[in-house]
Amino acid sequence: MAEIKPVEPVAVRAATLWSVLATALLSSLLLGEGLGVNLLIVALPAALAAYFAARSAGRRPRPWTLVWALGGLALLVVPALRDAGLPTFLALVSALALGSLALHGSRTWPGILFGPPGLFWAISRGVRWGWRGLRERAEGSRGRWMPVIRTVVVAAVLLIVFGALFASADAAFSDLIGELSPDVSVSDGPWRFLLFVLGLLAALTAAHTAAAPPRWDRATVKEGRPRARMEWALPLIILNLLFAAFIAVQLAVLFGGYDKILRETGLTYSEYARQGFWQLLWVTLLVILVVALARRWAPRDGARDRTLVRVVLGVLCALTLVVVVSTLRRMDLYVDAYGLTRLRVSVAAMEIWLGVVIVLILVAGAVGGRWLPRAVAASAGAAVLAFGLLSPDALVAERNQQRYEASGKLDLVYLQELSADAVPALDRLPEPARSCALAGISRHLGGAADPWYATSWSESRARDILAKRKVDTSGQSCDLTAVPFGDDAGERDANSGESDSR
């Protein structure tokens, strides 16, 4: 642990302290009403605090540092654009992880894995470092603090007095001030104070880590004892043969058609698709684990051993890519039978990303893999960003609106659970299906009382659409269970006696 422990950081700079204070104030003022562009606004002074602290410690940004920092800020755009909860949650977690990589400069698997949780361990060190720096500066510059305080007070008084006069003189200016300024009340005091403290702690932790990061890259994982060639290779060769046999069956099904398989198995079209998807997803996950363990115990006596390892694991990864394609094909069949849902979009996106990881492992096996940890982390961040920007709810609504036009099938129960991201596509449905589908979203959307900085672009767009074309279910019949396609569609079809065969 002595190698991992960070060095003693240099004294905190005034620019760092001001950036930390700005982060805390913006957190208390902007984060109380919800999530939107306010996250990005709060993150900018926190990033400046880390930058100033790193420069004081003599650390300079490297290309990968800029990749992680810009990637983390880009992920914070997702809450500003999208309303759905899952993409926002994944974007926040991924932004924290990429921010950690920017602060630590990690390049190995221990650094990639231990850096993000390590930020929580650095909170107390950051607070002590900030308090010590603040006390030292206060003791050394008592004469310079009063002019700064007087300047801030005078500026605040002028803004309040003249701003109130202008607001009372012109209604348009009053509305502008009301939209731009945070809505702060005395009753929100405890909540605002908590947000202030959280912003302060986060900015201090980031700045301290940037000045003196723990050296997680120095943590070493002991290599496993190499096995004999036959002991190591035979189980993997047998596994490769099993994969090859499965793929041969899949090709036979592809060229021979599904009707024969369905007759022989007694399964319906959608049951066949649903039966295999989850198992094949687990196959992909387990292959990555098998490759990691196989590399740990691989024989390492010379060029022949290296060639054996590359060939055996390379064949396994190549066959796994075919399984990934088969998995996605199963999902496509299931979507054809039941329609698209959030869960199906999410697991398909996960499978695509796992396929990308398999490709990266293949390339690393061929040319060397020092870059692999950072490439996997970057691919994960890019996948989460793409997932958020594409918006699963918008994809679900778009696909099922097209499906309704083609087949007349629609599950209004499920559509009412979607977020504001789905409103543009659902607005194209004919009445009464449009109003029935948008009724639930309209109720959850509420009014336009949320401030601009806590309102996503999807929410604002949805309110505009619903203001132009009102949702009206009065006197209309909404058959909410007629044609289900949600994630429990199989069970609901069984209860209703409806066949899902093609």
Side-chain angles (χ1 to χ4, degrees):
M1 293 296 292
E3 296 84 1
I4 299 174
K5 187 177 179 180
V7 298
E8 188 66 25
V10 298
V12 62
R13 288 178 55 185
T16 302
L17 290 176
W18 283 113
S19 299
V20 169
L21 180 61
T23 304
L25 288 173
L26 290 173
S27 297
S28 65
L29 292 175
L30 303 182
L31 296 183
E33 285 82 8
L35 302 182
V37 72
N38 48 9
L39 282 172
L40 191 58
I41 295 174
V42 171
L44 290 177
L48 285 176
Y51 172 75
F52 292 138
R55 282 186 61 88
S56 298
R59 298 183 67 197
R60 296 295 181 267
R62 298 180 179 180
W64 273 106
T65 304
L66 297 177
V67 169
W68 302 135
L70 294 177
L73 292 176
L75 283 164
L76 294 181
V77 174
V78 173
L81 297 178
R82 301 302 178 201
D83 180 49
L86 180 60
T88 296
F89 172 77
L90 293 177
L92 294 180
V93 173
S94 300
L96 176 64
L98 294 191
S100 167
L101 298 181
L103 295 173
H104 290 94
S106 303
R107 66 186 66 181
T108 65
W109 284 117
I112 298 291
L113 297 176
F114 297 146
L119 288 177
F120 295 96
W121 302 336
I123 292 176
S124 60
R125 293 196 298 269
V127 171
R128 291 195 300 269
W129 175 67
W131 174 250
R132 185 171 62 249
L134 181 63
R135 187 176 56 188
E136 291 173 354
R137 290 191 169 276
E139 292 175 352
S141 57
R142 292 182 182 275
R144 289 182 294 178
W145 279 104
M146 288 308 298
V148 173
I149 295 175
R150 286 195 298 267
T151 302
V152 172
V153 171
V154 170
V157 170
L158 292 176
L159 283 175
I160 293 173
V161 172
F162 284 95
L165 290 174
F166 284 134
S168 61
D170 187 272
F173 186 78
S174 177
D175 292 339
L176 177 63
I177 294 297
E179 291 177 359
L180 295 180
S181 60
D183 184 13
V184 180
S185 63
V186 177
S187 60
D188 292 336
W191 173 235
R192 301 283 180 180
F193 178 74
L194 176 62
L195 291 174
F196 180 90
V197 172
L198 291 177
L200 188 74
L201 294 178
L204 281 174
T205 301
H208 180 274
T209 304
R215 303 299 181 180
W216 295 108
D217 283 340
R218 296 179 181 176
T220 57
V221 179
K222 185 178 179 181
E223 289 187 342
R225 182 173 62 87
R227 308 294 178 177
R229 291 176 188 170
M230 186 58 61
E231 180 186 0
W232 178 87
L234 184 58
L236 294 175
I237 292 174
I238 294 174
L239 182 61
N240 284 340
L241 293 175
L242 177 63
F243 270 65
F246 175 80
I247 291 170
V249 171
Q250 295 300 294
L251 293 175
V253 171
L254 178 64
F255 290 108
Y258 291 96
D259 293 338
K260 179 181 178 182
I261 297 297
L262 298 182
R263 286 195 303 269
E264 292 176 354
T265 60
L267 297 174
T268 64
Y269 185 77
S270 57
E271 285 173 345
Y272 177 76
R274 180 171 55 180
Q275 178 195 49
F277 176 80
W278 293 104
Q279 291 88 331
L280 296 183
L281 178 63
W282 276 107
V283 165
T284 309
L285 286 167
L286 290 175
V287 163
I288 295 176
L289 178 62
V290 167
V291 170
L293 295 177
R295 290 287 302 177
R296 177 175 173 79
W297 290 309
R300 304 185 278 271
D301 286 342
R304 293 181 62 185
D305 284 342
R306 288 194 296 271
T307 301
L308 175 65
V309 171
R310 288 178 177 176
V311 170
V312 173
L313 295 183
V315 170
L316 178 59
C317 289
L319 294 174
T320 305
L321 288 178
V322 181
V323 172
V324 169
V325 175
S326 178
T327 307
L328 295 174
R329 177 56 180 158
R330 296 284 185 113
M331 174 56 71
D332 188 53
L333 293 176
Y334 195 39
V335 169
D336 283 342
Y338 280 133
L340 198 61
T341 66
R342 290 168 168 170
L343 179 61
R344 291 162 202 166
V345 173
S346 301
V347 294
M350 169 66 78
E351 183 69 11
I352 292 173
W353 176 67
L354 291 175
V356 171
V357 173
I358 295 293
V359 171
L360 293 175
I361 293 173
L362 266 173
V363 175
V367 302
R370 294 186 61 185
W371 49 269
L372 182 60
R374 289 185 290 190
V376 171
S379 70
V384 171
L385 180 61
F387 183 73
L389 295 180
L390 289 175
S391 177
D393 283 20
L395 292 175
V396 168
E398 183 75 26
R399 180 69 177 267
N400 287 286
Q401 182 265 334
Q402 297 171 357
R403 183 172 180 262
Y404 178 73
E405 292 181 352
S407 64
K409 295 180 179 180
L410 198 65
D411 187 343
L412 295 173
V413 170
Y414 188 83
L415 292 178
Q416 288 192 353
E417 299 173 358
L418 299 180
S419 67
D421 302 341
V423 169
L426 298 182
D427 185 58
R428 296 195 295 269
L429 290 170
E431 294 290 359
R434 172 192 173 273
S435 289
C436 291
L438 292 175
I441 301 176
S442 179
R443 287 194 299 269
H444 296 150
L445 195 61
D450 293 336
W452 62 272
Y453 50 81
T455 303
S456 68
W457 175 69
S458 288
E459 289 179 282
S460 178
R461 179 182 56 177
R463 289 193 179 107
D464 290 341
I465 291 174
L466 296 177
K468 293 177 182 177
R469 295 182 62 196
K470 299 292 185 181
V471 172
D472 181 17
T473 58
S474 60
Q476 296 179 357
S477 175
C478 296
D479 188 0
L480 299 180
T481 59
V483 186
F485 64 77
D487 295 308
D488 59 345
E491 291 77 3
R492 290 159 64 187
D493 275 353
N495 294 334
S496 65
E498 181 174 335
S499 172
D500 62 359
S501 61
R502 183 162 180 148

